[in-house]
Amino acid sequence: MTFHSKHIFAVLLCFALFSLTACSPAEKPVFELDAELIWTESDQWPNNEFTRNIPQPVTGTLVRYSQGTSSNYGFFSLELSDIPLEDCKTYLQAIEDVGFSPISELEEEPSPGFVSIANVYLKEETGLSLAYSSGAEGLMLYISRPISNV
């Protein structure tokens, strides 16, 4: 992954995360973590209350995941690699097919042959934020739910 790809991917992830958190009122900002964020390296798709509600991508490799709380929300983040652009677009449709509605969609081509996607979805009280970079073939998923529903 080049420096340019990493920079664009990081910006997209921040956009996606802050877009999702802006959708939910809270006593303090949703993005203020209650504890230090710890990433766990894994190549196995986790089966938990967060991931049961979203489809697993058909292609790609899970790199790592994290879980935590922020204000009155629980969240689960997943980082995947090796997902071609067309497979990412197929995955976006799979997300909608299981009932998630897009509330914010962004697809840009900041340079020729390089596509960035940052989308936010909602299904009942579950938010799903997605950031994708074709240059890195990387996908970040951020799932957020009120703690009473975790």
Side-chain angles (χ1 to χ4, degrees):
M1 185 182 313
T2 66
F3 174 76
H4 178 70
S5 298
K6 287 181 182 178
H7 179 71
I8 294 293
F9 193 58
V11 169
L12 281 175
L13 177 60
C14 288
F15 167 78
L17 292 175
F18 291 119
S19 294
L20 179 61
T21 59
C23 299
S24 305
E27 295 154 6
K28 62 181 181 178
V30 175
F31 54 86
E32 186 176 319
L33 297 175
D34 293 336
E36 181 181 349
L37 184 62
I38 298 173
W39 287 92
T40 302
E41 291 186 19
S42 177
D43 60 357
Q44 299 296 313
W45 185 260
N47 182 15
N48 60 40
E49 293 299 315
F50 293 96
T51 59
R52 281 187 208 120
N53 295 316
I54 63 169
Q56 180 177 347
V58 176
T59 61
T61 304
L62 180 66
V63 176
R64 61 187 184 157
Y65 63 85
S66 66
Q67 183 171 357
T69 60
S70 174
S71 189
N72 293 321
Y73 289 81
F75 67 86
F76 197 83
S77 301
L78 300 125
E79 179 183 343
L80 296 102
S81 64
D82 306 319
I83 299 179
L85 177 61
E86 289 309 312
D87 291 351
C88 178
K89 290 183 177 186
T90 300
Y91 185 64
L92 298 178
Q93 185 58 53
I95 289 169
E96 291 184 33
D97 289 347
V98 297
F100 280 89
S101 299
I103 57 174
S104 175
E105 296 179 294
L106 173 67
E107 182 173 332
E108 295 184 330
E109 189 171 348
S111 61
F114 182 84
V115 177
S116 300
I117 298 172
N119 292 356
V120 179
Y121 299 88
L122 190 61
K123 179 181 179 182
E124 298 169 1
E125 292 185 305
T126 300
L128 173 62
S129 179
L130 176 148
Y132 175 79
S133 166
S134 69
E137 290 193 340
L139 176 68
M140 289 292 296
L141 299 172
Y142 176 87
I143 309 156
S144 175
R145 300 172 58 190
I147 288 179
S148 62
N149 293 333
V150 174

